[in-house]
Amino acid sequence: GIAKQVSLIKLPGTNFSVDLIEWEDPKTTREGGELGSALDMAITVADVALAVDELVGTEHKGNGWSLKSIPSILDLPPPLGRAVHASIADPDGIEVSLMSFP
């Protein structure tokens, strides 16, 4: 996928940052109830495939989490660069992106 950086906010003196990006390919679309929700959350993990397995793998079936997109390579704008990305959803359907920067 391809995304462009919209904004990067860093909390001085910490490792905390919020990076706002817009998906260009595939283009982000929202329909129906999604129109009121413009927040996407991404969590950085050491190993996306391992995190997916720990959250939605065979041993964890029935916990309510589901896989929305398999791990894939993304080329993000600088300073982020290449990333591995997968998307999961919580029991309420809220999607969370898991990302690593190899």
Side-chain angles (χ1 to χ4, degrees):
I2 299 173
K4 71 177 181 179
Q5 187 174 34
V6 176
S7 175
L8 177 63
I9 303 166
K10 291 185 176 184
L11 190 60
T14 72
N15 291 324
F16 180 81
S17 66
V18 175
D19 189 18
L20 302 177
I21 60 174
E22 177 183 344
W23 294 107
E24 293 184 331
D25 181 25
K27 188 74 174 162
T28 300
T29 59
R30 297 193 185 277
E31 300 173 5
E34 295 176 320
L35 292 173
S37 174
L39 176 66
D40 292 321
M41 180 172 35
I43 298 172
T44 301
V45 297
D47 184 325
V48 171
L50 179 62
V52 165
D53 188 53
E54 290 178 350
L55 291 166
V56 299
T58 306
E59 292 182 24
H60 305 284
K61 292 277 187 224
N63 67 2
W65 287 83
S66 60
L67 181 64
K68 302 304 276 185
S69 71
I70 63 172
S72 60
I73 301 293
L74 295 178
D75 290 314
L76 299 172
L80 298 172
R82 184 155 281 206
V84 178
H85 169 270
S87 183
I88 59 175
D90 74 2
D92 293 323
I94 306 297
E95 287 193 36
V96 177
S97 292
L98 302 173
M99 300 185 80
S100 67
F101 297 88

